[in-house]
Amino acid sequence: MLQDIRENSQGTIAKIIIGLLVVSLSIWGMDAIVGGFSGEPEVATVNGEDITEREFLRVVQMESQRRLSEMERPDPAMLNEDQIRKDVLDSLIQEQVLIQDASAQGLALNDADIDALITQMPQFQVDGQFSRDRFVASVRNLGMGVGEFREAMRKQYVVNQIRGGVMQSGLVADENAAQLLRIQNQTRNFRSVQIPASAVSDELEVTDADIEAFYNENSEAFSQPEQVDAAYITLSLGALAEKIEISQEDLKAYYEQRAGDLAREERRASHILIEGGADAEQTIASIKKRLEAGESFEDLAKEVSVDTVSAKEGGDLGYAGRGVYDEAFENALFALEEGKVSDAVRTSFGVHLIRLDDIRRSEVPPLAELEQQLRSELARERAQEEYAKVRSELADSAYAADDLAGPAKELSLEIREAKGVTKNGGQAPFDHAGLVRQLFSDDVLEGGYNTELIDVGDNVSVVARVGEYRKAQQLALEEVRDDIRRTIEARKTRELLGDRADTIIAGLEKGEALNALGAGEWEQHEDQARNTPGADPRVVQAAFSLARPVEGEPSYGTAMTQNGVVVIALDAVNEGSVEEGSGDLKQLRTFLASLEGQREYAAYQQFLRNRAEVSRP
């Protein structure tokens, strides 16, 4: 198949067709092609209203881009397109159900309302003013027309009105929140004693029969997966930059050019952060009114900010330069005047009010201090054009070649080798899933072709081919005997420790003393909280999972640790205190009410979905 593509893609007619497709896509987008041929077919009908294929494909494209942006190494080949299409169709059906419900309730937004919303959105503003050019560019980047965006906003707004109404109806009894906080603040008095693994070492025995039985019962665990030894060429911007010589004159000119950037500006900010729910704008407006009425920013941060760390400091975030905060937060902060408070700023963390407290600037460091850094930056900058040129040449050369020797010699690149690469990957660059998938494809593995040129990192590209292939095979018992022995020893040690702990607990329940049972001395833990620093979390978790002591008799339990097993005797449960009106109690009530509102809204959505008539062609 790959060979047919290689041959046919060189034809003149093929090039003309591809050229026309590229021009069409660049001018009108995918919708022009799909719409032109499809005549607006529907992908589903909800209560008699169609979801068009045009809308469906646009949202699929947007969702694909979103999932790519979340990848550490974006690779389109890693996307599950079938799952994306399914998820998008389900979400569009649900959205249509909600839109119809909003319409039935008489909720609507006129053109003037939409214009007001758009002009107030921070992402469409420049220097605090609405910019039509930025608005149009942003909408086009989403793959939408202005009319489509306005209509999407109209639908989403009315749906959010219902969502906000239902979610705000979530209620939680004050006593429930207080009881939950009392449980969280609870402390316990208990004793513990460690039984080390060495205490049962004399009882530990692993026979050859045990090893053979384990090997036979877990044979799949001892198979060696199929592997390949691969040859590969790496092209990197860094390697090209190392070959570029920078003169002292060029370095000095670059230093003078960068002087403005090198004088780092840092800004000290304070913020109030709230959850980004449907009522966020209303909450922010209420906070701003309280600020205008003279209430302290610091006091309000301590009272309402969900960023509990900075809230304790009155919202203070300290000094930071550019590149530290979320982009929207940073843009708002660096647009503020000293002492001023921003409008609502929405980020992935929630909605912020930001106050600029101070600005400080550092002097430009002398050239001698920055020479190495600036020399490297300038070399990489000059290598960019060469990298793009060589990358294109390598892609074409490797695509047509029957080996890597020709492309390597032609471009003065080194051929390297990697051994034992499996379908799960190997050492870099074969820790890149897209490259590994290509390596094990039929065309490369069986056809003997080179892989495509794969970008495995920022400005790092690799092309590879298979050297030797080895089928999956069962490892011999002798190769894994020692590993099996260690596994069985660890398992039997845990079992013996568990038995020893049960014996000790049985003796304690009969009234025997701990030292008489040969278990050492108790270690006391008074008023132990759930999150006391330095405590073994496994021991604490076990102590807090035990039943309350009855009539002065301790409750016993165990916790397995890295060094052995710990026997625990719970002596007392100390109820946590709750101060009425405290910030912790208010935050917990708000959080629980929010959860209840989300549950109610989810149930409401499901009710509407179950009642809807949905058909799919």
Side-chain angles (χ1 to χ4, degrees):
M1 180 184 72
L2 185 57
Q3 184 58 36
D4 291 339
I5 296 174
R6 292 171 192 263
E7 293 171 356
N8 293 332
S9 65
Q10 307 304 316
T12 303
I13 294 177
K15 291 179 180 178
I16 292 173
I17 293 173
I18 292 171
L20 290 173
L21 284 172
V22 169
V23 170
S24 298
L25 284 168
S26 64
I27 298 176
W28 296 288
M30 179 64 76
D31 289 346
I33 297 174
V34 175
F37 288 113
S38 66
E40 289 292 340
E42 73 279 0
V43 293
T45 302
V46 182
N47 294 327
E49 294 190 28
D50 293 339
I51 297 173
T52 66
E53 187 175 57
R54 175 192 294 267
E55 179 182 12
F56 172 69
L57 291 176
R58 176 178 58 78
V59 180
V60 166
Q61 185 179 28
M62 291 171 61
E63 178 62 13
S64 297
Q65 290 300 320
R66 186 189 69 79
R67 296 191 187 189
L68 277 174
S69 69
E70 292 178 347
M71 293 182 184
E72 185 176 348
R73 294 179 175 180
D75 181 1
M78 293 295 292
L79 293 175
N80 185 336
E81 295 186 6
D82 291 338
Q83 187 62 47
I84 291 174
R85 294 170 75 89
K86 178 182 181 303
D87 292 345
V88 166
L89 184 55
D90 288 344
S91 68
L92 287 174
I93 290 172
Q94 185 65 62
E95 181 184 60
Q96 187 62 250
V97 167
L98 293 170
I99 290 168
Q100 292 173 5
D101 178 59
S103 178
Q105 295 190 45
L107 294 174
L109 208 64
N110 61 37
D111 290 343
D113 293 332
I114 294 175
D115 289 339
L117 286 172
I118 290 174
T119 55
Q120 292 171 13
M121 294 174 75
Q123 58 266 46
F124 302 143
Q125 295 182 357
V126 175
D127 296 329
Q129 299 295 319
F130 173 73
S131 167
R132 177 170 177 78
D133 290 342
R134 173 171 286 191
F135 167 63
V136 173
S138 299
V139 169
R140 286 178 177 169
N141 285 339
L142 293 173
M144 303 173 71
V146 170
E148 284 181 290
F149 181 81
R150 289 170 59 85
E151 187 60 28
M153 276 201 65
R154 188 193 308 274
K155 292 176 180 178
Q156 195 60 50
Y157 186 83
V158 294
V159 167
N160 283 343
Q161 290 293 97
I162 294 178
R163 176 177 178 271
V166 175
M167 290 187 65
Q168 288 176 27
S169 68
L171 298 174
V172 59
D174 290 347
E175 180 53 30
N176 288 351
Q179 179 61 18
L180 188 59
L181 191 56
R182 277 193 288 270
I183 293 172
Q184 177 62 33
N185 293 340
Q186 185 185 94
T187 64
R188 297 195 167 198
N189 302 343
F190 63 91
R191 293 164 285 150
S192 67
V193 61
Q194 174 93 38
I195 312 300
S198 59
V200 297
S201 58
D202 291 343
E203 304 171 48
L204 188 62
E205 182 183 3
V206 179
T207 66
D208 288 342
D210 292 334
I211 294 174
E212 290 176 11
F214 189 92
Y215 176 79
N216 292 329
E217 291 169 6
N218 300 276
S219 57
E220 291 184 2
F222 304 112
S223 62
Q224 180 173 285
E226 57 182 328
Q227 299 179 347
V228 297
D229 293 341
Y232 66 99
I233 296 173
T234 299
L235 174 67
S236 73
L237 177 66
L240 292 176
E242 288 177 0
K243 300 176 182 178
I244 295 179
E245 294 185 4
I246 304 296
S247 68
Q248 200 64 24
E249 292 76 13
D250 289 345
L251 183 64
K252 186 176 180 181
Y254 184 65
Y255 169 75
E256 292 171 353
Q257 175 189 332
R258 290 284 314 280
D261 297 331
L262 296 171
R264 179 176 172 82
E265 177 185 300
E266 293 185 317
R267 296 194 164 206
R268 184 171 188 171
S270 296
H271 81 143
I272 296 172
L273 174 65
I274 66 167
E275 300 285 354
D279 59 344
E281 299 295 336
Q282 182 179 346
T283 303
I284 286 290
S286 172
I287 295 171
K288 293 201 74 171
K289 284 183 180 178
R290 293 175 66 180
L291 286 171
E292 291 166 1
E295 290 194 49
S296 161
F297 189 98
E298 288 78 7
D299 290 343
L300 284 172
K302 292 176 182 177
E303 178 186 338
V304 302
S305 180
V306 297
D307 179 359
T308 55
V309 176
S310 68
K312 293 177 181 178
E313 306 298 327
D316 184 22
L317 295 171
Y319 287 96
R322 290 189 178 274
V324 174
Y325 298 122
D326 180 279
E327 182 180 2
F329 189 104
E330 178 181 295
N331 290 341
L333 174 61
F334 279 81
L336 281 174
E337 295 178 13
E338 192 171 334
K340 298 295 185 181
V341 177
S342 71
D343 292 328
V345 178
R346 190 176 292 271
T347 72
S348 58
F349 301 100
V351 183
H352 311 252
L353 281 180
I354 307 166
R355 185 182 68 188
L356 175 59
D357 296 328
D358 191 23
I359 301 174
R360 67 183 184 189
R361 294 180 176 85
S362 62
E363 297 295 326
V364 181
L367 176 58
E369 286 185 20
L370 301 173
E371 182 169 348
Q372 223 27 59
Q373 172 193 334
L374 295 181
R375 192 179 293 278
S376 176
E377 285 181 12
L378 185 54
R380 288 181 68 87
E381 187 178 294
R382 291 183 175 179
Q384 283 284 359
E385 185 176 345
E386 177 68 10
Y387 174 76
K389 174 175 172 291
V390 176
R391 186 191 180 285
S392 177
E393 292 174 353
L394 178 58
D396 291 342
S397 179
Y399 186 76
D402 294 328
D403 56 24
L404 294 179
K409 182 177 180 181
E410 179 184 340
L411 299 171
S412 300
L413 297 171
E414 177 187 358
I415 299 178
R416 301 176 183 177
E417 292 187 355
K419 295 187 178 295
V421 181
T422 71
K423 286 187 175 181
N424 290 326
Q427 293 186 340
F430 295 99
D431 55 349
H432 187 275
L435 178 59
V436 172
R437 189 169 46 257
Q438 283 251 336
L439 198 63
F440 280 89
S441 68
D442 291 342
D443 287 326
V444 177
L445 191 62
E446 299 175 6
Y449 296 115
N450 297 328
T451 67
E452 296 176 14
L453 188 66
I454 305 293
D455 294 323
V456 299
D458 291 338
N459 298 309
V460 179
S461 303
V462 172
V463 61
R465 67 181 292 108
V466 171
E468 181 183 350
Y469 170 75
R470 292 183 291 280
K471 293 182 179 179
Q473 59 183 349
Q474 183 80 12
L475 294 170
L477 174 58
E478 290 308 313
E479 295 181 74
V480 294
R481 180 179 292 276
D482 290 342
D483 291 335
I484 294 175
R485 180 180 295 278
R486 283 190 290 269
T487 299
I488 296 176
E489 285 177 348
R491 179 182 296 180
K492 286 193 172 185
T493 298
R494 287 194 298 271
E495 292 172 356
L496 290 168
L497 285 170
D499 293 341
R500 178 66 62 88
D502 290 343
T503 300
I504 292 171
I505 290 174
L508 292 169
E509 289 175 340
K510 291 177 182 178
E512 297 180 45
L514 184 63
N515 55 10
L517 296 168
E521 299 293 334
W522 289 113
E523 180 182 351
Q524 297 288 340
H525 306 270
E526 297 293 329
D527 285 325
Q528 175 77 56
R530 296 175 185 271
N531 55 355
T532 301
D536 188 321
R538 288 162 294 193
V539 175
V540 174
Q541 183 179 3
F544 274 85
S545 67
L546 293 176
R548 292 168 178 266
V550 178
E551 298 179 357
E553 291 297 323
S555 295
Y556 294 104
T558 63
M560 199 67 69
T561 69
Q562 290 181 339
N563 301 318
V565 66
V566 175
V567 175
I568 302 166
L570 176 63
D571 296 316
V573 174
N574 310 312
E575 296 299 341
S577 61
V578 174
E579 182 181 346
E580 186 60 37
S582 68
D584 287 344
L585 184 56
K586 288 180 180 179
Q587 286 187 20
L588 183 57
R589 284 172 179 163
T590 302
F591 174 71
L592 293 175
S594 174
L595 285 182
E596 184 60 29
Q598 291 175 31
R599 282 194 291 268
E600 290 180 7
Y601 183 64
Y604 182 70
Q605 284 182 299
Q606 191 60 48
F607 166 74
L608 294 176
R609 179 67 177 81
N610 293 341
R611 204 174 58 168
E613 294 183 6
V614 178
S615 62
R616 309 184 191 194

